[in-house]
Amino acid sequence: MPDEAPAKIPTAKLPTEGNGNGIVLLEVQGLKKSFGPKQVLRGVDLSVTRGEVVTILGPNGCGKSTFLRCLNLLEQYQDGVVKLKGEVVSRGRPEGYHSSRVECAEAEHLRRRVGMVFQRFNLFPHMTVLKNVMLGPRQVLGKSPQDAYAIAERMLNKVGLWEKHPCDPLTLSGGQQQRVAIARALSMNPDVMLFDEATSALDPVMTQEVFRVVRELAAEGMTMLLVTHDMDFARDISDRTVFMEGGIVAAVGTPEYIFDQRPVPGIQKFLQRG
Ligand SMILES: Nc1ncnc2c1ncn2[C@@H]1O[C@H](COP(=O)(O)OP(=O)(O)OP(=O)(O)O)[C@@H](O)[C@H]1O
Ligand SMILES: [Mg+2]
């Protein structure tokens, strides 16, 4: 497989720079990632402005989850650079590279700034909903119990679940658990939120509950990158849509550009797959 991304990526002229003021919040340049001999990301470039909602679409196995996981260093990548607010927050390292203590601390710091919500909610079952959300502010941000409680109360109210704060997570529905997971990610006051198919384990009613929360976050100006297989939602919520294929950004533009003009053949195929 060739190492280089195509020279020119179909990109719509943007009528909007997002909801924000056009300031680039997240910038990814030439990100490459391999698992052993298998190159999964072949040079991903993407800029996201403050307040922008970007959805990422693409066929199974094209590297969407891997891309998000690289952004908050759940996966180390081999080449390229990621910037937040113009500051380099991570860069590619050769395979087998052992991070220094300082680099590990920097990675930890980065993860606070990039919130992530997964398909599976990964709440701690032995802790109440409240404790799940207080944990990050307490242990990672070093907040006092009172401050962590106040943060958790605010975030659980935001996702409409404060009344569930004394409950065990497993007594909640899947949609409710996912909203707690969103509250938990928000409790770290991240610069950007990443969602990896956050609703694909949910039924349609619970999916709508979660989408409502995501829409509210978008209205509040949260910068978000969302991988989703829900095309209606993607079309509705996106400022821009990215189509990934073969480990690169194959096309990027407004949802109308991607869904209606279908600038690369892969999109046509992807959207027809039913
Ligand atoms: N830990 C791993 N070790 C080896 N290969 C992996 C690993 N994680 C992902 N891959 C491979 O990387 C490729 C991209 O996977 P990834 O999960 O990022 O795709 P995706 O676009 O999120 O797919 P889907 O739509 O099915 O979620 C796949 O071929 C997958 O098998
Ligand atoms: Mg995936």
Side-chain angles (χ1 to χ4, degrees):
M1 194 179 280
D3 203 30
E4 272 87 51
K8 187 147 173 37
I9 294 164
T11 305
K13 282 205 170 57
L14 294 178
T16 167
E17 289 277 307
N19 304 333
N21 45 14
I23 293 173
V24 174
L25 183 91
L26 174 74
E27 197 173 0
V28 183
Q29 294 167 344
L31 196 154
K32 294 181 185 171
K33 163 77 184 166
S34 301
F35 291 105
K38 184 182 167 82
Q39 192 172 32
V40 173
L41 300 177
R42 298 194 296 120
V44 176
D45 295 303
L46 184 65
S47 285
V48 181
T49 57
R50 190 191 301 269
E52 200 175 20
V53 179
V54 175
T55 48
I56 303 176
L57 315 178
N60 295 123
C62 72
K64 304 177 297 294
S65 297
T66 304
F67 176 53
L68 292 193
R69 291 170 62 79
C70 287
L71 290 184
N72 73 350
L73 285 184
L74 289 175
E75 296 284 357
Q76 183 60 62
Y77 55 96
Q78 283 84 44
D79 206 356
V81 69
V82 176
K83 296 181 188 171
L84 263 179
K85 297 179 178 169
E87 172 200 352
V88 174
V89 287
S90 73
R91 55 176 78 248
R93 308 278 188 204
E95 218 156 344
Y97 179 89
H98 286 289
S99 300
S100 68
R101 217 178 263 206
V102 171
E103 286 163 347
C104 289
E106 282 168 357
E108 198 49 52
H109 185 67
L110 169 64
R111 283 189 207 107
R112 294 180 209 173
R113 298 177 64 184
V114 181
M116 187 145 176
V117 177
F118 303 89
Q119 181 179 354
R120 294 268 156 215
F121 335 117
N122 304 326
L123 299 172
F124 290 113
H126 59 286
M127 286 182 188
T128 63
V129 163
L130 176 67
K131 288 227 164 99
N132 265 278
V133 182
M134 283 177 66
L135 193 66
R138 278 290 285 143
Q139 295 207 339
V140 183
L141 302 182
K143 300 284 183 190
S144 68
Q146 293 80 1
D147 286 352
Y149 184 98
I151 292 169
E153 185 177 8
R154 205 165 62 244
M155 296 311 152
L156 284 168
N157 269 316
K158 195 189 273 292
V159 300
L161 284 176
W162 173 243
E163 86 225 29
K164 298 286 185 190
H165 75 271
C167 300
D168 288 337
L170 294 181
T171 65
L172 271 53
S173 74
Q176 289 170 334
Q177 289 184 55
Q178 191 58 297
R179 283 150 62 199
V180 173
I182 294 172
R184 180 180 56 180
L186 290 172
S187 73
M188 303 296 282
N189 192 25
D191 290 325
V192 56
M193 288 277 284
L194 312 177
F195 292 80
D196 189 3
E197 295 196 43
T199 59
S200 55
L202 304 178
D203 70 26
V205 172
M206 295 192 289
T207 294
Q208 289 312 317
E209 284 174 21
V210 172
F211 281 171
R212 196 170 60 236
V213 170
V214 173
R215 283 197 179 90
E216 280 166 17
L217 291 176
E220 287 172 12
M222 174 61 78
T223 310
M224 292 187 279
L225 257 73
L226 301 109
V227 170
T228 180
H229 284 289
D230 189 312
M231 296 303 122
D232 292 337
F233 177 65
R235 199 178 175 121
D236 179 50
I237 198 161
S238 308
D239 294 307
R240 272 191 304 152
T241 300
V242 164
F243 180 71
M244 275 184 77
E245 196 175 30
I248 58 160
V249 171
V252 58
T254 60
E256 293 73 27
Y257 177 68
I258 296 296
F259 285 99
D260 299 337
Q261 296 187 39
R262 304 185 178 188
V264 291
I267 298 181
Q268 184 82 7
K269 213 166 132 204
F270 176 72
L271 291 175
Q272 277 171 352
R273 85 207 186 294

